[in-house]
Amino acid sequence: DLYLKAVVDAVHGRADDARRREVFASLRRDAGLAPLAPRLAHFFAGEAAAVRTRPLASLEHLAAAVAAVCANPRGGAAMHLHQLAPVALTLVVAKTLGDDGPSGDHWSVRVAAARAVAGICAEFGDRYESLLPRVAETLRGALDDAKRPPQTKYGALVGFCALGKRSLEAHAAGALLDGLAADFAAAADAAAPPGET
């Protein structure tokens, strides 16, 4: 329980920077983490469900904590990927992140979460063949949906960039070109004299 409290405090920003780094380093390397993995996954999932009401700093810490647990080869994350991967993906493509208002730096949260997603795919993609295609499908859906806001599309693009050049080229390049073509067509229509569109 003390260990879990230390993780909660680190994610919620109640620990100083040195203590938070120590806790996250422990999540990355401690061999005895596996028995706590279900509770950690549950806590992380609960935090992701409340992304609109959490400070952005806490969400960035959440992305780092998920990445750390998934990077621990003896941490028991494999049994909880069904909870951990969606947490990171939510932080990448959520419409709204944090309660810091529109001026908050949700961009860096999305970048940190995209790195966590890429780490999860690198660590577990060979063992779970459907992992990368499912992640790519989620990111591509965010790029292709015209109703999604720019911050979601940015998150999806950053997600593909974090996954690497091949994923970016295979899944995002076409969507980006289609989006640019639509934007240029709309701009041309708007700039054309009346009756010439």
Side-chain angles (χ1 to χ4, degrees):
D1 284 340
L2 287 177
Y3 192 89
L4 188 59
K5 181 182 181 328
V7 173
V8 171
D9 287 348
V11 169
H12 285 167
R14 294 189 295 253
D16 63 29
D17 288 342
R19 177 68 176 142
R20 183 174 33 262
R21 283 192 300 272
E22 182 181 301
V23 168
F24 291 168
S26 174
L27 289 174
R28 271 190 300 280
R29 71 171 185 268
D30 283 358
L33 188 64
L36 285 178
R39 294 176 67 195
L40 289 169
H42 180 75
F43 166 66
F44 296 157
E47 292 297 296
V51 294
R52 293 180 180 199
T53 64
R54 299 289 188 252
L56 289 168
S58 292
L59 297 177
E60 195 160 354
H61 301 326
L62 176 62
V66 169
V69 168
C70 290
N72 185 332
R74 298 171 309 273
M79 297 299 293
H80 304 284
L81 280 182
H82 65 284
Q83 290 177 293
L84 296 169
V87 169
L89 278 169
T90 296
L91 294 172
V92 172
V93 298
K95 178 180 178 182
T96 304
L97 288 176
D99 63 356
D100 299 33
S103 63
D105 183 16
H106 63 89
W107 310 105
S108 63
V109 174
R110 295 175 195 279
V111 170
R115 290 180 182 142
V117 169
I120 290 168
C121 289
E123 182 68 32
F124 300 103
D126 290 342
R127 285 182 268 171
Y128 302 100
E129 293 177 9
S130 67
L131 179 63
L132 183 57
R134 291 175 72 184
V135 166
E137 180 181 344
T138 299
L139 297 175
R140 181 63 192 249
L143 277 178
D144 288 346
D145 187 346
K147 295 178 184 175
R148 296 288 189 105
Q151 58 269 28
T152 294
K153 293 180 181 294
Y154 170 83
L157 181 58
V158 168
F160 279 124
C161 289
L163 289 173
K165 183 179 177 182
R166 288 179 51 203
S167 288
L168 181 64
E169 289 173 349
H171 300 288
L176 290 173
L177 292 175
D178 292 345
L180 284 173
D183 290 345
F184 282 125
D189 287 346
E196 290 191 24
T197 58

